[in-house]
Amino acid sequence: MAMWITRPRNITHHLKTNIGFLEFFKYQRIWLRTSSYSNPLPSNLIAKNYGSTSPPLLRDWASFFTARRYKSENAAKQVVDEEKQALDFLGGSVTFTSDLEFISESPEKKVHCYRVLDDNGYPITSTRLPQVSNEITMKMYRDMVTLQIMDAIFYEAQRQGRICFYATTTGEEAVNIAPAAALTPHDVILPQYREPGVLLWRGFTLQEFANQLFANKEDYGKGRQMHVHYGSNKLNCFTMSAPIATQLPQAVGAAYSLKMEKKDACAVTFCGDGGTSEGDFHAALNFAAVMETPILFICRNNGWAISTPLSEQFRSDGIAVKGQAYGIRSTQVDGNDPLAVYTAVRAAREMAIVEQRPILIEALTYRVGHHSTSDDSTKYRPADEIEFWRNERNPVARFRKWIERNGWWSEKEDSQFRIEVRQQVMQAIQAAERIEKPPLSEMFTDVYDQTPSNLQEQEEMIREAIKRHPKDYPSDLPV
Amino acid sequence: MARNLRRVCGLSLISRNGKRDLSTSEGKPINLFSAINQALHIALDSDPRAYVFGEDVGFGGVFRCTTGLADRFGKQRVFNTPLCEQGIVGFGIGLAAMIVNEAAKFRYRSGNQFNCGGLTIRAPYGAVGHGEHYHSQSPEAFFCHVPRIKLYNVLFAYVFGEDVGFGGVFRCTTGLADRFGKQRVFNTPLCEQGIVGFGIGLAAMGNRAIAEIQFADYIYPAFDQIVNEAAKFRYRSGNQFNCGGLTIRAPYGAVGHGGHYHSQSPEAFFCHVPGIKVVIPRSPRQAKGLLLSSIRDPNPVVFFEPKWLYRLAVEEVPEHDYMLPLSEAEVIREGSDITLVGWGAQLSVMEEACVEAEKEGISCELIDLSTLIPWDKETVEASVSKTGRLLISHEAPVTGGFGAEISASIVERCFLRLEAPVARICGLDTPFPLVFEPFYMPTKNKILDAIKSTVNY
């Protein structure tokens, strides 16, 4: 009976709510001997509300008295509070509640997006402006311009029939260049296919780009893959492949290798908003978290996966929120603000390597260009939307305003630079066109480390066929 | 007369053999995507419960096959999906099942209670002139006594997969984690595409990545990573990169009570992929040597282990480190009347048949292919040149099985020498059944009967 005295407030409360006499007991502090129980005290005995007509206490009379009998014994492992009951499950301690709750499908507050410069290139808060060296800032700008011009000219080359295919990064120059600027050459990169800027930053020349596009014998890929599928082992950038998001779990494996070698480096992998729907995205994030690998997942959320807008791609609040579901620290940045992207990637890299953990970065941007030269995006999106992003939200123009205002660049230098780059791109194209194609033998090498007998036979067969019907085969490929 | 009537009435008349021949009615010349578009319009029009969905189909699709459908039938019947092929097909199976591992076995495994026959999966295939690796593929075709893997011989070697930590469901990885540590021998989450993708990345950095897929029946989520990534990794990069250090191990084949999803022999799917090797050992001693060779081979290897033999097969196995050569078939029984070719657990069944045939005066030569791609044609050709007869046996379904490749290649090379058609004694063209397994399997007597009929042709 001493129990009653300890919680007088509760007794009053109960009397006020007109429930039966015996209801007192259910608000007492009840000590459980978990070892003598196969089941804990039924939670409805301590529930605040219950919908049934008869008081549960009467139904559970037996178990209640059993609990009371053990009250004085000091064998409790769990304390049952009047409202909460906590128990250990394999995943950790779980707090129970008698209020049925559903976690909302969308967060109360949408994720905040980090940016440093506004749309006109003015710093938003000068006190927290990131320190980026002048050298890096100017290289970022020059590379963004180079990327812009290279895209425009290669696109035109496809339209003129000089190459079969091209995919631009128009509108995404910042998210291409700034991450590369924030990394070191030892960081291993596994791109999707819309990140040639990463290679450009690291030193891939315009000539090397052109060689791949013209599939000549200087192409490191030996003319085997479709255009824009670049790769460079000396620049630590894995060769791109067309299937979406397949590089993501591979990047986790690469990161694990860096972890085991205790390298001061991380793996960095890219995908688009569409890529986050692929099974490989979920596989990769889960593995990365479990294996505790030093990896950055950078998602270019550019609003479109060919013709599929975000509303048809997923219903979460963007991509950054998905990180938490896998136990991954994440952030969302303005992908058209190179300073913001640079800062975020730099910080993420530090965390990834020091803490040996994955980080997810969602960079919001817009795909101004068509998906590729095989696409006409005006078929599925309004032309004025494209123009708005091309002009008002242009990341290159925005960054240019920032650097010009700081006195590091001028309009005259800008036009001069652009003329030079244009010339270099044109020269690269002309040179690439003149370089001969890879020899036929390269079709049969590298399938395996050594050429097996079936491929040797097939090469002989093809050579015979070429002799008999030379007109069936392109004449510009050395046999 | 019939033709005139068709023009007038727009009807197709019943032809002489009783079948209506609609394809010969007159029409305009149109190209392929327009024809497909017309078919889809008709399909949607004639069945209110028909749906068309996939990546970018809403605006017409990247090849324009679905133009106009969304406008005409509405976005609830013609719609874009998220970028996820496994999601698209899985969703489609569920949708089809409501209208009347999964699609192919849906009807069979449910005893015809359910079916997803309404599902049609369309995909552009074949060469397009500039598509190269990823836009040109033509896909119309689709231990035992455990070897001790010597991790200390290799600088950075890893073993990983579902449940390998405690030893694995077949005990193949027993003791490895204790000996080499959890950073080199570890469990992965339950995700085959992740296991293989991770393994590719690890191998590409110069390590030996020995991935385990718990049953070959579950390898399909990793098919994209194996076919599109691992197999092409070296080639597409111009030999700048390779994932040769990757070995994928999986138990395969019948076990007596495995049913659909613990008995499959999927080797044929992988034999169609240039760039990987497929290796299948027949016995404990073979398994150890072949696995070590596979691990050390500078190409990605898919290594199928006959689960039937995990416990049953006992053999003396040398304790030291040894390797057996890949792509070299072995003549394990010499003979002169007929050549038998097989791999894995099936060889012991074939050997019994050979012994019985011997009693009836037929001398059989038995060859273990052991590596299925690249396979040793020369040894088989030499044998068939000697015997003039060939019989191939495998557990996998006969249609499109690897026996078809062997048969076609040998007929090309040995046509004039052959005394009889090439025989294939294989699994039947059904999902692998449980209670019907004894009927499904290529048994000793089926092989023996075929030996005799081939010899007596």
Side-chain angles (χ1 to χ4, degrees):
Chain A
M1 295 323 241
M3 296 181 291
W4 298 6
I5 297 165
T6 56
R7 310 300 288 260
R9 175 176 65 80
N10 291 337
I11 294 174
T12 318
H13 171 77
H14 293 316
L15 289 173
K16 275 185 186 165
T17 54
N18 285 322
I19 48 182
F21 166 79
L22 293 165
E23 310 285 358
F24 291 166
F25 297 127
K26 69 179 187 294
Y27 290 101
Q28 302 307 321
R29 203 170 271 279
I30 302 171
W31 293 85
L32 284 178
R33 272 188 63 146
T34 51
S35 56
S36 55
Y37 267 71
S38 52
N39 303 302
L41 194 70
S43 60
N44 57 9
L45 266 186
I46 48 167
K48 269 205 279 197
N49 311 298
Y50 48 91
S52 56
T53 47
S54 65
L57 197 58
L58 292 175
R59 291 198 302 273
D60 299 302
W61 188 259
S63 49
F64 171 71
F65 271 108
T66 320
R68 279 206 61 200
R69 187 151 57 80
Y70 287 120
K71 180 192 79 70
S72 59
E73 293 183 41
N74 190 21
K77 284 193 179 153
Q78 315 289 339
V79 173
V80 177
D81 208 9
E82 62 179 43
E83 287 166 3
K84 290 186 214 154
Q85 185 180 8
L87 277 181
D88 278 339
F89 278 96
L90 283 186
S93 183
V94 173
T95 308
F96 290 94
T97 171
S98 53
D99 291 327
L100 178 61
E101 286 167 10
F102 287 87
I103 303 172
S104 172
E105 68 274 11
S106 53
E108 269 176 34
K109 284 186 199 167
K110 280 175 71 82
V111 173
H112 289 158
C113 182
Y114 171 65
R115 64 157 37 173
V116 165
L117 299 176
D118 69 14
D119 282 332
N120 289 310
Y122 285 101
I124 292 176
T125 43
S126 53
T127 49
R128 271 184 277 161
L129 204 61
Q131 296 303 306
V132 184
S133 76
N134 186 261
E135 196 189 324
I136 289 182
T137 304
M138 291 318 298
K139 182 170 175 2
M140 282 207 287
Y141 178 73
R142 279 195 294 269
D143 280 0
M144 283 165 68
V145 170
T146 305
L147 187 55
Q148 218 181 22
I149 293 174
M150 171 183 121
D151 270 349
I153 298 180
F154 285 141
Y155 188 88
E156 274 312 302
Q158 192 277 342
R159 285 294 182 245
Q160 293 164 13
R162 291 160 97 174
I163 54 178
C164 307
F165 175 85
Y166 192 71
T168 65
T169 60
T170 315
E172 300 183 57
E173 294 85 358
V175 81
N176 257 257
I177 298 296
L183 301 170
T184 72
H186 305 294
D187 298 317
V188 175
I189 302 200
L190 289 90
Q192 180 65 73
Y193 54 72
R194 214 182 285 285
E195 301 95 14
V198 173
L199 275 166
L200 184 67
W201 174 274
R202 288 189 166 188
F204 210 63
T205 64
L206 294 170
Q207 191 63 60
E208 286 169 319
F209 281 116
N211 289 339
Q212 201 280 339
L213 295 174
F214 283 87
N216 62 35
K217 74 173 197 303
E218 301 297 325
D219 168 27
Y220 300 132
K222 300 182 188 170
R224 292 158 179 165
Q225 277 212 94
M226 225 164 120
H227 308 321
V228 309
H229 291 72
Y230 316 107
S232 168
N233 57 354
K234 70 176 190 280
L235 299 180
N236 246 338
C237 191
F238 278 54
T239 302
M240 301 173 190
S241 73
I244 302 289
T246 46
Q247 69 282 2
L248 302 179
Q250 294 169 19
V252 181
Y256 189 78
S257 182
L258 292 172
K259 175 189 174 90
M260 291 300 290
E261 294 176 82
K262 297 184 170 31
K263 289 256 167 87
D264 179 15
C266 63
V268 181
T269 185
F270 292 81
C271 69
D273 41 286
T276 67
S277 292
E278 280 285 0
D280 274 335
F281 173 80
H282 305 278
L285 261 61
N286 195 38
F287 269 65
V290 169
M291 309 284 179
E292 295 173 7
T293 51
I295 180 171
L296 306 192
F297 293 101
I298 301 181
C299 174
R300 290 176 298 97
N301 182 348
N302 65 17
W304 294 93
I306 308 188
S307 73
T308 308
L310 296 180
S311 60
E312 290 174 12
Q313 198 64 253
F314 50 72
R315 287 302 165 90
S316 51
D317 174 23
I319 288 140
V321 294
K322 297 190 209 248
Q324 193 174 52
Y326 296 99
I328 292 180
R329 204 173 284 169
S330 339
T331 189
Q332 190 182 75
V333 308
D334 178 350
N336 285 358
D337 177 350
L339 291 186
V341 176
Y342 176 88
T343 311
V345 172
R346 245 200 120 78
R349 181 184 181 276
E350 185 75 15
M351 278 191 277
I353 295 173
V354 168
E355 297 178 54
Q356 293 287 295
R357 60 164 62 247
I359 309 282
L360 171 64
I361 298 175
E362 178 185 5
L364 298 183
T365 178
Y366 185 85
R367 192 197 78 210
V368 171
H370 306 305
H371 167 68
S372 70
T373 48
S374 308
D375 176 48
D376 172 12
S377 60
T378 58
K379 281 196 154 50
Y380 51 78
R381 58 182 184 174
D384 54 5
E385 174 188 302
I386 305 171
E387 287 318 300
F388 170 75
W389 284 88
R390 188 195 302 280
N391 301 319
E392 263 102 318
R393 306 288 288 271
N394 185 318
V396 183
R398 176 180 175 188
F399 201 42
R400 178 178 161 182
K401 288 177 188 161
W402 158 254
I403 58 171
E404 278 182 357
R405 225 175 274 125
N406 277 297
W408 304 326
W409 196 245
S410 68
E411 197 176 316
K412 189 174 160 200
E413 280 170 295
D414 199 75
S415 41
Q416 186 59 37
F417 181 71
R418 283 173 188 267
I419 290 169
E420 279 166 21
V421 172
R422 231 171 257 129
Q423 274 172 0
Q424 284 165 17
V425 177
M426 293 308 308
Q427 277 164 13
I429 289 178
Q430 281 153 22
E433 257 175 339
R434 283 196 299 270
I435 298 172
E436 61 177 8
K437 300 286 182 238
L440 180 68
S441 56
E442 292 290 19
M443 179 173 159
F444 298 97
T445 53
D446 304 328
V447 179
Y448 298 92
D449 67 312
Q450 312 267 341
T451 309
S453 57
N454 59 324
L455 285 182
Q456 288 168 11
E457 274 171 32
Q458 289 173 16
E459 188 176 347
E460 281 165 29
M461 268 171 27
I462 277 287
R463 289 184 188 281
E464 285 300 308
I466 293 168
K467 279 185 199 148
R468 279 199 302 278
H469 304 280
K471 291 196 181 128
D472 282 357
Y473 303 99
S475 52
D476 61 345
L477 200 123
V479 173
Chain B
M1 165 74 170
R3 196 190 266 251
N4 287 335
L5 271 176
R6 267 204 291 274
R7 271 199 217 112
V8 166
C9 319
L11 291 173
S12 304
L13 296 181
I14 296 175
S15 65
R16 257 180 298 201
N17 63 6
K19 290 191 182 144
R20 288 206 286 174
D21 189 357
L22 297 164
S23 65
T24 55
S25 51
E26 281 151 21
K28 292 183 284 195
I30 55 171
N31 59 23
L32 178 61
F33 75 76
S34 302
I36 290 177
N37 190 250
Q38 282 188 10
L40 292 173
H41 272 271
I42 292 168
L44 286 167
D45 202 23
S46 57
D47 184 351
R49 300 186 75 180
Y51 300 84
V52 168
F53 53 93
E55 293 157 19
D56 301 294
V57 302
F59 87 104
V62 296
F63 289 111
R64 305 283 177 269
C65 293
T66 52
T67 307
L69 293 175
D71 291 334
R72 187 171 165 200
F73 297 102
K75 283 190 174 173
Q76 296 204 307
R77 291 182 67 204
V78 181
F79 48 89
N80 290 346
T81 59
L83 206 168
C84 181
E85 292 74 19
Q86 67 194 113
I88 290 169
V89 177
F91 174 89
I93 289 171
L95 196 57
M98 293 293 284
I99 294 171
V100 157
N101 159 333
E102 297 298 311
K105 295 175 175 50
F106 217 84
R107 184 194 295 271
Y108 190 85
R109 75 181 182 203
S110 68
N112 208 12
Q113 294 180 86
F114 302 99
N115 77 82
C116 55
L119 175 68
T120 301
I121 302 165
R122 290 179 44 246
Y125 95 104
V128 73
H130 60 272
E132 282 74 40
H133 295 335
Y134 299 111
H135 301 83
S136 301
Q137 294 180 52
S138 299
E140 70 259 293
F142 295 102
F143 338 141
C144 97
H145 196 247
V146 178
R148 218 73 173 105
I149 300 158
K150 300 215 161 89
L151 288 176
Y152 55 72
N153 272 12
V154 185
L155 201 51
F156 298 101
Y158 300 88
V159 170
F160 51 93
E162 293 155 25
D163 301 296
V164 301
F166 86 101
V169 294
F170 288 109
R171 305 284 178 268
C172 292
T173 51
T174 308
L176 293 174
D178 291 336
R179 188 167 166 197
F180 297 102
K182 283 189 172 172
Q183 294 199 307
R184 290 182 67 202
V185 180
F186 47 89
N187 290 345
T188 58
L190 208 167
C191 179
E192 291 74 18
Q193 65 195 111
I195 290 169
V196 176
F198 176 90
I200 290 170
L202 199 53
M205 298 290 284
N207 302 290
R208 300 237 192 273
I210 305 155
E212 178 177 302
I213 300 291
Q214 201 156 78
F215 284 88
D217 313 58
Y218 311 141
I219 201 168
Y220 307 108
F223 200 67
D224 187 31
Q225 287 285 350
I226 296 170
V227 173
N228 272 335
E229 300 293 315
K232 296 170 173 60
F233 216 81
R234 185 193 294 274
Y235 191 78
R236 76 187 184 199
S237 70
N239 204 14
Q240 295 184 90
F241 300 97
N242 77 79
C243 61
L246 176 66
T247 304
I248 302 164
R249 299 175 38 243
Y252 90 102
V255 73
H257 52 271
H260 296 345
Y261 301 113
H262 300 81
S263 314
Q264 289 178 40
S265 300
E267 68 271 7
F269 295 115
F270 299 95
C271 290
H272 197 53
V273 185
I276 55 170
K277 295 192 177 183
V278 176
V279 178
I280 305 184
R282 69 172 185 271
S283 73
R285 188 188 307 158
Q286 292 289 311
K288 177 171 170 176
L290 288 172
L291 182 56
L292 282 167
S293 293
S294 300
I295 291 167
R296 292 164 179 161
D297 190 277
N299 299 287
V301 177
V302 179
F303 190 84
F304 287 120
E305 299 165 358
K307 67 173 84 68
W308 190 296
L309 302 181
Y310 274 145
R311 287 197 189 88
L312 275 181
V314 178
E315 196 180 25
E316 286 192 359
V317 177
E319 292 208 1
H320 59 263
D321 186 346
Y322 67 95
M323 305 200 322
L324 292 171
L326 300 186
S327 296
E328 280 186 28
E330 189 183 344
V331 179
I332 56 181
R333 184 190 176 91
E334 285 195 13
S336 52
D337 293 331
I338 180 171
T339 302
L340 281 79
V341 175
W343 50 88
Q346 190 62 10
L347 281 166
S348 57
V349 179
M350 295 164 85
E351 186 146 33
E352 286 175 22
C354 291
V355 167
E356 298 260 335
E358 186 84 44
K359 293 178 192 157
E360 301 191 33
I362 303 174
S363 161
C364 301
E365 181 145 295
L366 182 58
I367 298 179
D368 175 10
L369 212 55
S370 98
T371 300
L372 269 61
I373 51 160
W375 67 284
D376 182 0
K377 286 183 188 139
E378 284 71 30
T379 299
V380 179
E381 184 187 351
S383 174
V384 177
S385 298
K386 182 173 69 166
T387 63
R389 294 175 190 87
L390 176 61
L391 183 152
I392 306 155
S393 185
H394 56 68
E395 287 176 25
V398 61
T399 299
F402 195 62
E405 153 67 23
I406 300 172
S407 174
S409 290
I410 294 301
V411 166
E412 274 169 19
R413 290 164 171 244
C414 304
F415 183 70
L416 289 175
R417 181 64 192 92
L418 285 168
E419 308 274 340
V422 175
R424 288 182 297 159
I425 304 302
C426 304
L428 304 180
D429 289 332
T430 69
F432 200 107
L434 180 70
V435 74
F436 308 111
E437 179 170 332
F439 302 88
Y440 170 94
M441 288 290 279
T443 57
K444 174 200 82 176
N445 281 331
K446 284 185 192 172
I447 296 171
L448 188 56
D449 286 349
I451 290 173
K452 288 188 234 176
S453 60
T454 304
V455 164
N456 296 326
Y457 188 76

